[in-house]
Amino acid sequence: MAPLTPSTRELFSEAVRAVLETWPVLQIAVDNGFGGAYSQQKAEWMVDALQQYFIDNDELQQDEVEEFISDLMNNEFDTVVEDGSLPQVAQKVCEMFQQCQQDRLTEVREQIKHEKTL
């Protein structure tokens, strides 16, 4: 697949942000300061880290993305995700990245809107 254009990359970053901001596990970790005094900044950094992970790695599989997010949660928030939501989060992000790669940007925008209404 071709690399994302700057505008598509920005849309993907917005998609990642929408998914992570509506993920209860991350929100609980931030709200309760599991990441220390800079929990909110760590959550914002996670968006960039996850987006960059996709940019830097070709053909990521969902389980690799799950493991990466799990490691981020464990390392940055001292949180082990055991509620079964991790596969769903990874799947959403993987799907939106594929849609961005395939220039299906309207679908990505619709999913972002849907995530924000949850």
Side-chain angles (χ1 to χ4, degrees):
M1 292 273 169
L4 300 183
T5 64
S7 61
T8 305
R9 189 173 172 166
E10 187 175 315
L11 181 64
F12 178 61
S13 183
E14 188 179 335
V16 171
R17 178 170 282 104
V19 171
L20 293 183
E21 284 180 350
T22 57
W23 185 27
V25 173
L26 179 58
Q27 295 315 305
I28 290 168
V30 170
D31 292 346
N32 290 288
F34 293 175
Y38 298 103
S39 290
Q40 184 61 49
Q41 290 86 342
K42 287 181 178 185
E44 292 167 12
W45 169 82
M46 266 184 76
V47 172
D48 295 332
L50 186 53
Q51 180 227 18
Q52 194 62 48
Y53 185 64
F54 275 87
I55 301 302
D56 292 346
N57 295 283
D58 289 332
E59 299 182 30
L60 284 171
Q61 300 299 309
Q62 181 178 326
D63 60 330
E64 295 172 303
V65 176
E66 283 179 44
E67 186 175 327
F68 183 73
I69 297 170
S70 177
D71 288 346
L72 289 176
M73 289 299 294
N74 190 29
N75 294 336
E76 301 301 327
F77 294 96
D78 199 25
T79 299
V80 176
V81 181
E82 295 180 333
D83 70 340
S85 65
L86 201 49
Q88 297 165 339
V89 170
Q91 180 184 13
K92 286 180 188 179
V93 176
C94 287
E95 285 176 1
M96 287 196 248
F97 185 72
Q98 289 172 348
Q99 290 169 338
C100 285
Q101 285 182 311
Q102 296 165 358
D103 207 31
R104 294 165 40 205
L105 306 183
T106 303
E107 291 176 51
V108 176
R109 287 186 188 97
E110 286 299 316
Q111 287 186 23
I112 291 170
K113 274 188 208 174
H114 176 74
E115 288 296 321
K116 289 182 176 181
T117 61
L118 295 178

